[in-house]
Structures are given as structure tokens and as C-alpha cells.
Amino acid sequence: MTTPVCTGASRAAAASAGHRRYPSFSSYVRARGPVLLRTARSLTANPSDAEDLLQTALTKTYVAWERIEDHRALDGYVRRALVNTRTSQWRKRKVDEFACEELPEKEAAPAPDPAEQQSLHDAMWRAVLKLPDRQRAMVVLRYYEDLSETQTAEVMGVSVGTVKSAVSRALGKLREDPELGPVR
């Protein structure tokens, strides 16, 4: 994201002649440039944008060079210029959102084929019917009737542990059923 640095040609000319007007600015840029570039890179994702950002901040620093009283605090001044410039660029960025009368809806996932669903349903019931009566009753109560383990135990007249172990064995048998292979 590049943003014009100066609006006037006189400013740009003054900035390019910085090594003649302010030799201390030139030596500062040579000495601290790599460190400041790392700071700029941490503010942008693109290395080219970081270079442009640093150039803009250094131009702002150059313009204010005579007003900066404490040259020992130049790094802080330039870093603040980097952050402020980046914030201004971010605020001015183009947003590609447009108001419209209807909200665009996400494309729905394709609906499953009803024939495949019925086939799977039938295969599941055939596998459940292969289970021993007691396991089948517990699986139906737990997963088709959506009863808790405690409720299933009460209906069956057994302990909760019996329900847990019987349902676990039943699910193991269902996992091994060859008709349910495509489900796994």
C-alpha cells in the first residue's frame, strides 16, 4: 500500500537534498536505517510497503529536523512517525464493501441424496436388529429415544454400569458390521 509522501514538489526536492542541508540527518539515517526498517517491517506485511513507510517517516522527520530539540530521542520520534503514518494509511485504505438491499447468502452445502440417506437408515436398522435383544433395547433407548444412562437403567431395571457396558459392547459390534463400512 503506497501513499504519496509529499504533495508539493518543493518538499520532495528539499528531502532529496537532505545530505547537503542537514549532514547530521544523513549520518543518522545511515546509522539507524536498518533498525528503523525492521520496525517498519513489523508494522506491514510487505517489505516494499515497509520501505515506503520508512521513507515517509524519514521525510516527516527531515521536515521537522530543525524543530527537534533532543536528537538523542530521534529513534522515538521516527518510530512515532512510523506508527502514525501506518495508522493514517490503514484508515485511508479502500474498503471493498458495498451496501445492497439483500444480504448475500452463503451457498448451502449440497443436500444429501435422499435415496442414500434411506439406504443408510435401512442398513443401520438391519445392523441393530442383529444385536442381542437386551443390547438392542438399550441402544434403542439410549440413541433413538434419547434417554440418559440413568433413565435407560430405570426402564430396563438394571444398574447404570450394566447399561454402560452393554451399550459399549453393542456399539463395538455395530462398528464391525460390514454393511456399515461406508459410514466409517
Side-chain angles (χ1 to χ4, degrees):
M1 156 187 260
T2 54
T3 304
V5 175
C6 297
T7 54
S10 60
R11 275 185 162 174
S16 66
H19 65 278
R20 286 179 258 149
R21 189 164 174 202
Y22 299 121
S24 58
F25 177 78
S26 297
S27 61
Y28 170 75
V29 171
R30 277 192 300 276
R32 300 301 294 162
V35 173
L36 296 170
L37 183 58
R38 280 195 301 271
T39 303
R41 283 188 178 154
S42 70
L43 295 172
T44 63
N46 184 336
S48 298
D49 289 342
E51 290 172 3
D52 291 343
L53 178 63
L54 178 59
Q55 186 65 41
T56 303
L58 288 174
T59 301
K60 290 178 179 181
T61 304
Y62 176 81
V63 170
W65 193 255
E66 291 177 339
R67 293 188 316 251
I68 300 173
E69 295 175 11
D70 185 7
H71 282 224
R72 292 175 295 179
L74 281 172
D75 281 358
Y77 185 92
V78 175
R79 284 190 179 102
R80 174 51 50 198
L82 285 167
V83 170
N84 290 347
T85 303
R86 182 64 183 134
T87 302
S88 294
Q89 290 172 346
W90 178 78
R91 286 180 180 153
K92 292 176 186 176
R93 78 187 189 285
K94 181 181 176 190
V95 178
D96 291 330
E97 292 183 17
F98 304 99
C100 58
E101 295 199 18
E102 292 182 29
L103 292 174
E105 298 297 327
K106 293 182 180 178
E107 288 186 32
D113 183 16
E116 286 182 27
Q117 284 185 316
Q118 187 61 46
S119 174
L120 177 61
H121 183 263
D122 293 344
M124 180 61 78
W125 268 113
R126 282 192 300 274
V128 168
L129 290 173
K130 292 179 193 174
L131 295 173
D133 292 342
R134 188 169 162 166
Q135 286 181 358
R136 181 175 55 241
M138 290 184 191
V139 166
V140 168
L141 290 172
R142 282 286 291 128
Y143 297 106
Y144 286 94
E145 297 297 322
D146 201 26
L147 297 182
S148 68
E149 291 170 338
T150 306
Q151 292 169 327
T152 303
E154 288 174 10
V155 169
M156 297 291 296
V158 297
S159 70
V160 174
T162 302
V163 171
K164 287 181 180 182
S165 62
V167 168
S168 176
R169 283 192 302 277
L171 293 177
K173 288 179 183 179
L174 292 173
R175 283 186 198 101
E176 294 171 1
D177 193 300
E179 280 190 72
L180 299 178
V183 177
R184 288 182 239 142

